Structures are given as C-alpha cells and as structure tokens.
Amino acid sequence: MQPASPTAEPPVRHIAVVGGGTAGWMTALLLTTSRFGERLKVTVLESPTVGVIGVGEGSTPWLRGFFDSLGIAESQWMPACHATYKAGITFDGWSTRPGFERYFHPFASTLDNLTMPQFLHNVHARLAFADVHAHPDRFFLSKRLAVEGKAPKPPHHFPFDVGYGYHFDSALLGSFLHEQAVQRGVMHVARHMNAATLDERGDIRALQLEGGDTLAADFFIDCTGFASLLIGKALKTPYVSFADNLFNDAAIALPSPPGDAPVMAQTVSTALRHGWAWKIPLTSRHGNGYVYSSAHVSADQAETELRAHLGLLDADVPARHLRMRVGRHAKHWNRNCVAVGLSQGFIEPLEATALLFVQRTAASFVDALDKGDLGESAQAAFNAGLNARLDGVRDYIVTHYKTSTRTDTDYWRANAANTALSEPLQRLLHTWIASRPIAPGIAGGDIGTGYAVLSWYCLLAGVGLFPAAAQLRPPTAAEARFSLPDIDRLIERSALNFPDHRDFLRSIPPDVARLDLWSRPEHGGRRETLGAL
Ligand SMILES: Cc1cc2nc3c(=O)[nH]c(=O)nc-3n(C[C@H](O)[C@H](O)[C@H](O)COP(=O)(O)OP(=O)(O)OC[C@H]3O[C@@H](n4cnc5c(N)ncnc54)[C@H](O)[C@@H]3O)c2cc1C
C-alpha cells in the first residue's frame, strides 16, 4: 500500500459497489485503504429483497493478510464470527488405494522446510518403484496440530511461523465487515437495483433503483453474486463455463451441534456417492454440506445421503438447497466495471478459494487505483493475471476428481473418464507419472500455476498416485536414507509447543494475531521464511 497522500486526486471520485455479501463488504473495506483516503467516495448498494448466498465458511491463509491490512486483530473479529483456526484440509474417501484412503493438505509451516526434502525424496523413490513411505501425513506439523485439537498459534519463543486460515459463520462475518466498513466512511444504500444504464461508449453511467431514483458513479464494482448483474447482464462480458471438467453444480447446507469433542483445526472433505461433503468446526456449531452433480442425483436423494452421512436422518434440522454456476467471465474488469466474488466466477468450494479471489481481485484494483492507471494495458494485465490464477486453481481442483479411484457410481466413473484436462495439467500429470520432478515446472510457471509445490506433492502422493504395491521393490540404501522416526520426533516435539485449540479460542490474546509481532527485535526482526517452498 502506498502512503496516504493529502493532495493527490483519485482517478475516479465515486465508486459504487453493488452487492452487500462478503465480496461487497470486503471490497469496500479494501477500497478504504487506498492512498486517496476520504477523497475516494465508496457506496455499497444492497438489495433489501435479494439475500446473500449465506455459505462460504472456510478460508485459505490469505485471509490473515486481509485482516492485517485493515488492522483488525483476531481477538476482535474471531469471537464475533464464532471463528476457529484451520491448519488444512483432510480429504477422506477420495482414493481406494490401500494406505491412501485419506490424507491431509497442510497449510505450509516454515518447519516444513526441514521435512519437505525427505518427503520429496521418498515420493520420487516410490515413483521409481522403491518401497519407501511416501504418504504426506507423516511429514508435516500442521497435520499433527489439526488432529491433536491444537491451535496453529506458536508461542513467542517458537522460531517457525505456521500457515493457517480460518473457519467462520458467514452471516456473522458479513455483519462484522458491514459494521467496520460503515465506521470507516463507506456509505450504505439499502435499495434494489432494477437496471444499469450505459452511456454512448457502452460504459455504465448509472444504476436505476426500485422506486425511481438513480445512483450515478464513476466506477462500478459488481458484487451481485451469481446474478452478475453488471459484468454479465449489463456489459454482456462472455462467460467461460468449467462444466466440462467440474461436474458439481448444486449444494446442500445443513448445520449440526458442535459437540464436546476437541475442536480440530481442519475442514474435513469426505467423498460421497455423487460429490463430496464438507464438515467445518465453528465455536457454536458445525457447518456441513454436500456439493454434488445434479445430473447424477436428485436434490432429495442427495439430502438423504448427506443426512445419513451426518447421522441426522431423523433430525428436525432444515437443509438449504443451492445451485452453483461454475466458471468465470472472460474479463473481470470490463470498461468501468470490476466484478468481485461470485459475479466474476466460481470454482467449486473444494479448497475454499473463493474469498482468496475476492481479496486478490479487490486488492489488485486498489493497487491500480493507487497507481492512477485505469487504462487498457492495466486492465489487460489485471484480467490476464486473474485468469491464469483462476485456471490454475481450477486445474488443482480437477486433479482431485481425476486422480480419484472411486468407481462405485456413474458420477465417479464419469470423473475418471474425463479427458477435458487443460494442457498444463496434462503435462504435470505426465511428468509425475514419468517420475520426473514437477517442482521446476511449477516454480517456472509452466504447469500447476494455482498452487505451491507442497500442495501438488501432497495431493498426488496423498491419493497414492504411485506404482501398485505389488510392483514395488526393496529400496536401495540411498533411497532409504531418511529416518521416519527422526521426523516423527521432530514433529512430536514441535507440536508440544502449541496450545489446545478450544482453550485458545475462549480467550484469544489481543496482540497474538498481529504479524508484526515477529518483527520485534527479540526475534531478530523477522521469522524464518518459507524459502524453497
Ligand atoms: C456451496 C458453497 C460453498 C462455499 N464455500 C466456500 C468456502 O468454504 N470458502 C470460500 O471462500 N467461499 C466459499 N463459497 C463462496 C462464497 O460463499 C462466496 O464467495 C462469498 O459468500 C461471496 O459471495 P458474494 O458476495 O459474491 O455473493 P452473495 O453473497 O450472493 O451476495 C450478493 C449480493 O448482491 C446483492 N444483490 C443482488 N441483486 C441485487 C440487486 N438487483 N440490487 C441490489 N443488490 C443486489 C444481494 O442483496 C447480496 O447482497 C461457497 C459457495 C458455495 C455456493
């Protein structure tokens, strides 16, 4: 962020954000951080009759940076949103390969630098038919923290940072962000938009509101959810569907009581017959849901399957049914409009990446504003960057389905038979199967652009994409050179430093959330960084 300037004039004076869901309020808040301060007027227009989507309760580690950039401490927002920590995601039942039925996708920790080389070494030895242990769960601290019910919050003396995201109640988060934005000078208008009018060049001129009024602005942010009222309906920006390789287009959400068991700092994603179910721990309840393909199962059958999975067949808890539009607009920034959130596009929620894109899109736009450059080349770079990132994340999600070995339903057989893979994903999978390292291609941006090396190795090794057990041979001394008990001891000793998750949430220390904690002189001014990961 550039420093606030007392005199510089913003390239646009008034921005109207249409939509008051999580995307609308996050964007409005990020706009308040622009260097133009109060000289940039921001209005959020929200329909009193169209509700928010009301799901989306898990994040990636990026959300930490969002709150930090606004100076909002965890002790302030987490209790208000019934939030918990998330050290990663357990994928259960995606593979039927013996020993690989479940695995954990960790959010990286700097301690992983000490165990990642051993993991990669063993993976490549196993790909070369050596019988060595190559399941990711033994190698990473975050997995241990999650299953032991610990918070991924190291004490001051612990020299390694741990990546983590959050779980939260989406409605409470929306209210919290709304309140914060209004306190920071954002105007809120609770009116329904009937249409957008365009000027002679085709830019949006103003919004026609229910009751006859008009809201004019210089620039418009489309946060109207799947309706895409500005970027889609008004500006007719082409849409690129992902339906040919991501089959899920519907979801059911169903809460359940929190119970007395330890609060696990993880989302659990369990493969079901026609999709997958999420389980998200909050301090007040569990959020559960089923993401499925409506071409393969009816809504009623899917609800019965989810209730049976949760042990809630006879429970009197109402379920919410939702439809999803999976794909993206060809441009996120078109003319004088940027789309943020479900309006710009949506990859299904398997890795909980939607708010990451909200944050990235809004922050990139604030960056363009601060540079004072809203011209065509800035737009082109903005769109190309977001599209590459979105398509890369899509490829990572597609890989979960493509590498699954389930064949028990038409749904899973259709996923296995899917050949609509992007060219970079095909190259990545071929490289892996040929036992060549995928890390250089990922680092060079040729393959696997959406995710880090650690994530790709955890996914492909976690589902057991290795030669069959019967084909393995005893390892050579060089292949078997790493001691798993040593790794176990390192991770076990490290985990002892971390607090109980539930206890920590009861009273989050006011300053512990601040990243700048680690710039203190007693920590040498910085924490260990992620290095080669
Ligand atoms: C099943 C499912 C699970 C998900 N899980 C995750 C997850 O774990 N993690 C994650 O990051 N994301 C997740 N998401 C995505 C997440 O829910 C959304 O990205 C997030 O809630 C932001 O939504 P939004 O603000 O774009 O849209 P919405 O919440 O739909 O808000 C749209 C807004 O537009 C307004 N509006 C609409 N029409 C008009 C009009 N005519 N005039 C004025 N205002 C109007 C509405 O009033 C509303 O305020 C999930 C999504 C689904 C479907």
Side-chain angles (χ1 to χ4, degrees):
M1 199 199 324
Q2 295 185 27
S5 154
T7 51
E9 285 303 319
V12 290
R13 287 178 172 276
H14 181 198
I15 299 184
V17 177
V18 185
T22 317
W25 291 114
M26 281 178 73
T27 304
L29 274 164
L30 288 174
L31 285 169
T32 67
T33 67
S34 105
R35 74 187 180 107
F36 302 108
E38 288 173 1
R39 285 185 310 289
L40 180 69
K41 184 177 161 194
V42 179
T43 302
V44 171
L45 175 74
E46 181 186 13
S47 169
T49 50
V50 181
V52 297
I53 186 118
V55 283
E57 307 203 315
S59 87
T60 63
W62 277 71
L63 201 63
R64 246 170 117 175
F66 170 75
F67 285 109
D68 278 337
S69 70
L70 295 163
I72 298 173
E74 289 179 349
S75 55
Q76 195 183 351
W77 78 268
M78 286 184 68
C81 301
H82 301 175
T84 64
Y85 293 101
K86 174 178 173 186
I89 307 175
T90 283
F91 289 89
D92 195 359
W94 288 75
S95 169
T96 56
R97 297 177 180 102
F100 296 92
E101 294 85 355
R102 64 194 58 79
Y103 76 95
F104 185 78
H105 176 195
F107 291 147
S109 131
T110 43
L111 189 81
D112 300 343
N113 278 333
L114 303 182
T115 52
M116 180 86 166
Q118 294 88 320
F119 173 52
L120 264 52
H121 170 89
N122 281 17
V123 164
H124 283 290
R126 197 169 174 108
L127 283 167
F129 300 90
D131 189 3
V132 293
H133 187 89
H135 191 292
D137 285 7
R138 283 281 280 280
F139 294 85
F140 300 110
L141 173 67
S142 301
K143 155 76 184 176
R144 179 71 68 109
L145 299 179
V147 298
E148 287 186 359
K150 300 219 164 169
K153 299 292 296 187
H156 285 205
H157 64 263
F158 191 74
F160 299 99
D161 198 6
V162 175
Y164 62 81
Y166 307 100
H167 304 116
F168 42 80
D169 181 299
S170 71
L172 294 178
L173 180 66
S175 309
F176 180 88
L177 298 175
H178 175 163
E179 199 178 293
Q180 287 290 320
V182 170
Q183 278 171 20
R184 291 164 198 236
V186 172
M187 297 288 297
H188 179 218
V189 177
R191 297 284 293 278
H192 187 80
M193 180 191 89
N194 281 337
T197 48
L198 307 185
D199 65 18
E200 57 289 345
R201 285 172 308 179
D203 287 357
I204 300 174
R205 185 204 307 269
L207 310 175
Q208 306 302 320
L209 307 186
E210 184 86 38
D213 292 331
T214 295
L215 176 68
D218 307 314
F219 204 94
F220 297 84
I221 311 281
D222 184 349
C223 294
T224 59
F226 284 132
S228 283
L229 295 181
L230 302 184
I231 201 89
K233 298 225 165 54
L235 295 179
K236 304 202 177 350
T237 311
Y239 187 77
V240 181
S241 170
F242 293 162
D244 61 347
N245 55 16
L246 287 174
F247 303 149
N248 297 338
D249 60 356
I252 308 172
L254 190 63
S256 63
D260 295 326
V263 182
M264 310 271 237
Q266 62 170 345
T267 299
V268 178
S269 155
T270 308
L272 298 185
R273 286 171 56 75
H274 308 100
W276 60 275
W278 77 78
K279 182 164 192 151
I280 286 183
L282 305 183
T283 55
S284 53
R285 63 174 166 82
H286 273 111
N288 310 289
Y290 186 8
V291 177
Y292 66 94
S293 158
S294 65
H296 292 90
V297 66
S298 73
D300 281 352
Q301 285 168 327
E303 185 176 329
T304 305
E305 193 188 350
L306 175 62
R307 285 182 182 279
H309 167 67
L310 297 171
L312 294 176
L313 266 177
D314 301 322
D316 194 17
V317 189
R320 286 187 54 219
H321 287 257
L322 302 154
R323 294 308 291 243
M324 308 188 305
R325 187 180 64 146
V326 174
R328 61 165 171 80
H329 282 285
K331 293 178 180 178
H332 310 262
W333 182 349
N334 190 6
R335 297 186 171 275
N336 61 340
C337 174
V338 165
V340 187
L342 297 174
S343 58
Q344 74 185 121
F346 183 53
I347 311 167
E348 65 136 281
L350 188 59
E351 292 274 353
T353 48
L355 294 187
L356 156 72
F357 281 104
V358 167
Q359 192 179 337
R360 261 180 184 273
T361 310
S364 303
F365 181 63
V366 172
D367 199 40
L369 273 179
D370 282 350
K371 287 182 183 140
D373 182 5
L374 305 187
E376 277 181 22
S377 60
Q379 284 186 33
F382 180 96
N383 288 324
L386 275 168
N387 284 340
R389 183 63 66 158
L390 250 144
D391 292 354
V393 171
R394 176 207 55 201
D395 286 352
Y396 188 74
I397 307 281
V398 167
T399 306
H400 291 78
Y401 295 96
K402 186 63 193 168
T403 57
S404 171
T405 46
R406 286 187 68 141
T407 51
D408 51 327
T409 58
D410 283 349
Y411 171 83
W412 289 107
R413 286 189 286 273
N415 273 297
N418 172 27
T419 52
L421 307 182
S422 74
E423 209 261 322
L425 178 54
Q426 290 182 39
R427 274 190 288 130
L428 182 141
L429 292 174
H430 285 140
T431 308
W432 176 274
I433 288 163
S435 187
R436 291 200 307 273
I438 55 174
I442 295 170
D446 302 330
I447 52 174
T449 47
Y451 270 85
V453 169
L454 170 91
S455 295
W456 277 107
Y457 272 87
C458 284
L459 164 52
L460 298 174
V463 296
L465 194 58
F466 290 117
Q471 296 175 287
L472 298 179
R473 56 171 172 76
T476 63
E479 285 168 336
R481 74 174 183 270
F482 290 120
S483 153
L484 281 172
D486 284 353
I487 293 172
D488 290 342
R489 273 190 293 278
L490 171 71
I491 290 178
E492 203 173 306
R493 274 204 316 273
S494 303
L496 292 175
N497 289 285
F498 288 75
D500 177 81
H501 193 184
R502 195 190 293 272
D503 289 348
F504 193 86
L505 291 168
R506 283 200 185 107
S507 172
I508 300 171
D511 67 339
V512 81
R514 308 297 306 141
L515 287 181
D516 56 17
L517 181 75
W518 300 103
S519 331
R520 286 180 186 169
E522 68 264 31
H523 296 291
R526 67 176 187 88
R527 271 193 132 175
E528 288 259 333
T529 54
L530 266 176
L533 299 192

